[in-house]
């Protein structure tokens, strides 16, 4: 008989990640030919993946302590932080430097403004060679609790290209919404929530030329989401909240919807959608339909002044 794992109280999602035949201790007797026959039990080999946490920042000094403290307090320690600052004029970089002795953090200061897409692209260059996965944490957000990275690492067993994670939404200290991934296939995933913080991505996929962020736009995460879903070969859902999206920040990108920068980014979002559709057309008939729908929706958004996560 193949090696098995005899379990007692473990949750189903954990057992599925072991890759072993799992039998509850009360039912072991039904899998032997005699009361004295032994079954060889194997302890699951849990891999501790190194996670590179990329934090883009611009003038978020009010929130950085909460963000970095939530990371420093993680029970899971095999991670590094790349704090990439996009030409801040406040005290946020000095605050970040206070964490150098508290955790493995590299602080990078750009000399020319590149917006969030550019800061994430730059941060890739500073990742250590042994980083396995990349996760994007915005500097005004925070991790749900001190077990967030531990839960993520457990869900990465089996080495999927992408792990979609649960996101909570905070307003005035109250979690009023959530985004829980329950995607059955890449076609459902690509039409799901496009925020960067909702994906933990294998480093070689994230840094692939075809998957780099668009720079010079406030909607960089939308086309990036489509690229990742197109190029990933495997994925998994972590249908539990591990990240909190802060809706209290009055200076966040999501508050700029009536600005010229947002309007210009809406034009760029349509152009990027059209370009991606042109590159991918003919490779996958189902994906062709989805990408064509995105182009049409982005055009409608451009014409009407509406907005969505497209």
């Amino acid at each position: 008989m193949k090696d098995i794992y005899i379990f007692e109280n473990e949750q189903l999602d954990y057992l599925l990640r072991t890759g072993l035949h799992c039998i509850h201790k009360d039912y072991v007797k039904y899998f032997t030919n005699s009361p004295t026959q032994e079954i060889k039990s194997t302890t699951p080999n849990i891999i501790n993946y190194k996670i590179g946490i990329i934090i883009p920042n611009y003038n978020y000094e009010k929130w950085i302590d909460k963000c970095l403290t939530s990371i420093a307090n993680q029970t899971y320690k095999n991670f590094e932080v790349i704090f990439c600052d996009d030409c801040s004029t406040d005290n946020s970089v000095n605050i970040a430097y206070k964490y150098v002795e508290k955790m493995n953090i590299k602080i990078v200061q750009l000399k020319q403004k590149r917006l969030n897409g550019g800061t994430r692209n730059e941060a890739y260059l500073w990742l250590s060679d042994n980083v396995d996965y990349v996760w994007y944490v915005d500097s005004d957000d925070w991790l749900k609790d001190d077990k967030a990275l531990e839960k993520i690492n457990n869900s990465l067993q089996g080495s999927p290209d992408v792990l979609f994670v649960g996101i909570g939404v905070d307003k005035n200290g109250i979690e009023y919404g959530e985004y829980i991934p329950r995607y059955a296939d890449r076609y459902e995933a690509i039409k799901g929530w496009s925020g960067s913080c909702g994906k933990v991505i294998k480093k070689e996929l994230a840094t692939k030329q075809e998957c780099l962020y668009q720079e010079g736009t406030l909607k960089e995460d939308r086309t990036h989401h489509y690229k990742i879903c197109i190029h990933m070969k495997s994925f998994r859902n972590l249908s539990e909240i591990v990240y909190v999206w802060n809706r209290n920040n009055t200076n966040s990108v999501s508050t700029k919807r009536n600005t010229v920068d947002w309007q210009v980014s809406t034009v760029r979002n349509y152009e990027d959608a059209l370009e991606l559709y042109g590159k991918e057309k003919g490779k996958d008939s189902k994906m062709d339909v989805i990408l064509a729908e995105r182009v049409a929706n982005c055009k409608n958004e451009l014409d009407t002044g509406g907005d969505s996560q497209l």
Side-chain angles (χ1 to χ4, degrees), residues 29 49 51 53 62 91 97 103 105 109 118 120 126 170 184 193 213 217 238 241 255 258 267 273 285-286:
K29 60 184 178 181
Y49 293 103
I51 302 171
I53 300 174
K62 180 178 179 180
N91 195 46
Y97 269 110
M103 61 182 176
I105 182 172
Q109 293 179 262
R120 294 186 184 112
W126 296 83
D170 182 278
W193 192 62
Y213 278 92
T217 174
L238 173 54
I241 295 175
T255 66
N258 295 318
V267 176
S285 59
K286 278 189 174 182

Side-chain angles (χ1 to χ4, degrees), residues 99-275:
Y99 286 82
V100 170
E101 296 182 359
K102 298 179 181 179
M103 61 182 176
N104 183 7
I105 182 172
K106 301 173 186 176
I107 298 174
V108 181
Q109 293 179 262
L110 300 182
K111 300 186 184 306
Q112 182 177 348
K113 193 162 183 63
R114 294 170 61 184
L115 299 182
N116 277 350
T119 58
R120 294 186 184 112
N121 287 342
E122 175 67 25
Y124 291 149
L125 303 176
W126 296 83
L127 290 169
S128 297
D129 291 341
N130 62 343
V131 165
D132 299 298
Y133 283 89
V134 175
W135 192 22
Y136 313 99
V137 175
D138 289 342
S139 56
D140 58 338
D141 297 338
W142 54 88
L143 306 194
K144 171 70 174 176
D145 54 42
D146 63 1
K147 301 288 187 182
L149 289 182
E150 185 175 326
K151 294 172 185 175
I152 285 173
N153 185 69
N154 286 341
S155 294
L156 289 175
Q157 303 305 307
S159 193
D161 284 346
V162 179
L163 175 68
F164 295 98
V165 304
I167 306 294
V169 182
D170 182 278
K171 184 69 173 179
N172 299 324
I174 300 173
E175 286 193 17
Y176 71 91
E178 58 185 28
Y179 298 86
I180 301 298
R182 295 187 176 92
Y183 308 131
D185 54 41
R186 71 170 65 245
Y187 308 110
E188 287 188 8
I190 201 170
K191 292 190 286 187
W193 192 62
S194 62
S196 292
C197 53
K199 294 178 285 293
V200 182
I201 307 170
K202 194 173 285 186
K203 185 176 75 171
E204 55 261 39
L205 175 61
T207 58
K208 190 175 181 178
Q209 182 67 34
E210 294 86 348
C211 295
L212 295 180
Y213 278 92
Q214 305 292 87
E215 301 193 22
T217 174
L218 298 178
K219 299 184 178 184
E220 79 291 334
D221 51 356
R222 303 184 182 188
T223 297
H224 177 261
H225 173 77
Y226 275 72
K227 291 176 178 178
I228 292 297
C229 290
I230 287 170
H231 289 279
M232 69 183 181
K233 292 182 172 61
S234 61
F235 73 90
R236 183 169 291 159
N237 300 308
L238 173 54
S239 300
E240 183 176 355
I241 295 175
V242 293
Y243 184 101
V244 179
W245 180 17
N246 174 20
R247 300 308 304 272
N248 303 289
N249 184 2
T250 57
N251 294 317
S252 71
V253 170
S254 60
T255 66
K256 302 183 185 298
R257 283 176 162 77
N258 295 318
T259 66
V260 172
D261 286 345
W262 191 263
Q263 294 168 0
V264 171
S265 295
T266 299
V267 176
R268 177 67 180 277
N269 191 42
Y270 169 61
E271 293 173 344
D272 292 341
L274 196 59
E275 180 183 11

Side-chain angles (χ1 to χ4, degrees), residues 33-48:
N33 295 324
S34 70
T36 59
Q37 182 179 352
E38 293 185 1
I39 294 181
K40 183 180 180 182
S41 179
T42 302
T43 301
N45 181 25
I46 301 299
I47 300 173
N48 291 326

